[in-house]
Amino acid sequence: ERFFAGGATTIRGYKERAVGPRDRGSNTALGGEAMVIGNAEVTFPIWKGLIKGAVFFDTGAVHEKYEDIFKNTGYVMGVGCGVRVKTPIGPVKLDYG
């Protein structure tokens, strides 16, 4: 199994599979044996019980080999803001990073 990062569920502000090792010829994402992800998010009410605002900071990396986790290389960061809306069918989340 290979790990990939970037996109709405890992490091917001980067495209899907944009973080990590890539093939030099085709620029295709290769993934890695290890992934480190950190997310911090603060939400605040905009319209009580219905709409919330959010600010976030995401960081992480995908490493080709597990041992590379301990090297301080390849880490990226993303920051941004978003809106959280409660709907009858479930919450909707829209972020910009």
Side-chain angles (χ1 to χ4, degrees), residues 7-13 16 37-44 46 50-58 80-97:
T9 59
T10 56
I11 306 172
R12 294 168 280 189
E16 292 286 330
I37 299 290
N39 307 100
E41 180 173 291
V42 176
T43 60
F44 51 91
I46 294 176
L50 184 63
I51 301 173
K52 291 182 181 179
V55 292
F56 63 84
F57 172 80
D58 299 334
C81 58
V83 176
R84 312 291 181 257
V85 181
K86 282 187 179 180
T87 70
I89 59 171
V92 175
K93 181 170 126 171
L94 180 64
D95 290 330
Y96 179 78

Side-chain angles (χ1 to χ4, degrees), residues 4-5 16-31:
F4 298 89
E16 292 286 330
R17 297 184 172 212
V19 178
R22 304 189 79 71
D23 181 68
R24 291 183 184 183
S26 65
N27 201 31
T28 304
L30 298 174

